[in-house]
Amino acid sequence: MRMGLQQFQEFEKDANWFNSHLDELRKEYVNEFVAVEDGNVISSGKTVDSVLEKLKKMRKDPGRVLIEFVHEKGKTILL
């Protein structure tokens, strides 16, 4: 699936939101995956599969939603 310019910009906006709110996200979602859309966490879970299943039930396309891991402070995981 190709990403259009608008989709890329939305993805980038959500990635920036995630990074700027990481300390806050750690309070509730540490060591969990979160799905972010329009600057909001719309799903979370201990595994990617659980997040994907929740997105499926919400009829959200996972390819259009930012999914990131909320790591403990001092650790970085690149997806």
Side-chain angles (χ1 to χ4, degrees):
M1 173 174 63
R2 293 183 65 148
M3 186 181 296
L5 180 59
Q6 181 180 356
Q7 184 182 354
F8 177 79
Q9 290 170 334
E10 291 169 5
F11 215 74
E12 183 177 40
K13 182 178 171 185
D14 284 332
N16 289 335
W17 180 90
F18 174 86
N19 289 325
S20 67
H21 289 83
L22 187 54
D23 286 335
E24 297 166 39
L25 293 169
R26 283 186 180 122
K27 293 176 185 175
E28 187 171 350
Y29 303 106
V30 70
N31 295 324
E32 290 189 28
F33 291 90
V34 294
V36 177
E37 183 179 60
D38 297 327
N40 295 296
V41 175
I42 61 169
S43 178
S44 65
K46 294 288 184 187
T47 66
V48 172
D49 288 340
S50 66
V51 172
L52 293 174
E53 186 62 32
K54 291 174 186 176
L55 291 175
K56 182 179 175 183
K57 288 179 182 177
M58 297 167 67
R59 297 186 179 192
K60 297 283 185 180
D61 179 354
R64 295 184 175 271
V65 177
L66 178 73
I67 300 173
E68 290 286 351
F69 185 75
V70 181
H71 55 81
E72 294 177 39
K73 193 167 188 151
K75 294 186 179 184
T76 303
I77 297 176
L78 300 175
L79 300 177

